């Protein structure tokens, strides 16, 4: 545990950021999974789920949670499975 006041603040700040990043990444993964499942089952709302997944992938790439090439690959997988 750090002793310096600014270092203590950095620990809490970085922990909050890490939690937010993990949450956003998990949300993106869930959206991709739901979109692929809806496409396989030919659900009525599959287009909405695909667009939501693409939006979350783009947001994760913009925030540098995933690499831009991975974002393109994931979007391609989701769109291709239509």
């Amino acid at each position: 545990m750090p002793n310096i006041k600014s270092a203590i603040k950095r620990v809490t700040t970085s922990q909050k950021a890490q939690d937010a990043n993990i949450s956003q990444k998990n949300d993106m993964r869930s959206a991709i999974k739901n979109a692929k499942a809806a496409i396989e089952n030919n659900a009525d709302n599959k287009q909405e789920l695909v667009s939501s997944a693409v939006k979350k992938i783009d947001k994760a790439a913009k925030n540098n949670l995933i690499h831009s090439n991975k974002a393109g690959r994931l979007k391609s997988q989701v769109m291709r499975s239509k």
Side-chain angles (χ1 to χ4, degrees):
M1 192 68 194
N3 296 326
I4 299 169
K5 190 174 182 181
S6 61
I8 293 169
K9 290 178 184 178
R10 282 304 296 163
V11 168
T12 58
T13 305
S14 62
Q15 185 63 45
K16 285 182 186 177
Q18 183 181 15
D19 292 342
N21 290 340
I22 290 171
S23 174
Q24 184 180 353
K25 213 168 183 182
N26 287 340
D27 193 30
M28 177 197 70
R29 289 184 187 129
S30 298
I32 293 169
K33 191 174 183 179
N34 291 339
K36 286 183 179 180
I39 291 168
E40 285 181 14
N41 298 331
N42 202 14
D44 295 333
N45 62 345
K46 64 183 176 182
Q47 191 61 34
E48 297 169 14
L49 292 173
V50 167
S51 64
S52 173
V54 168
K55 182 179 177 183
K56 290 179 182 184
I57 291 169
D58 284 335
K59 191 170 183 182
K62 186 184 82 171
N63 293 338
N64 290 324
L65 295 180
I66 59 173
H67 195 273
S68 59
N69 290 353
K70 181 174 183 174
R73 188 172 65 245
L74 289 174
K75 289 195 303 189
S76 175
Q77 287 175 0
V78 170
M79 300 297 256
R80 192 171 352 125
S81 58
K82 282 203 268 189

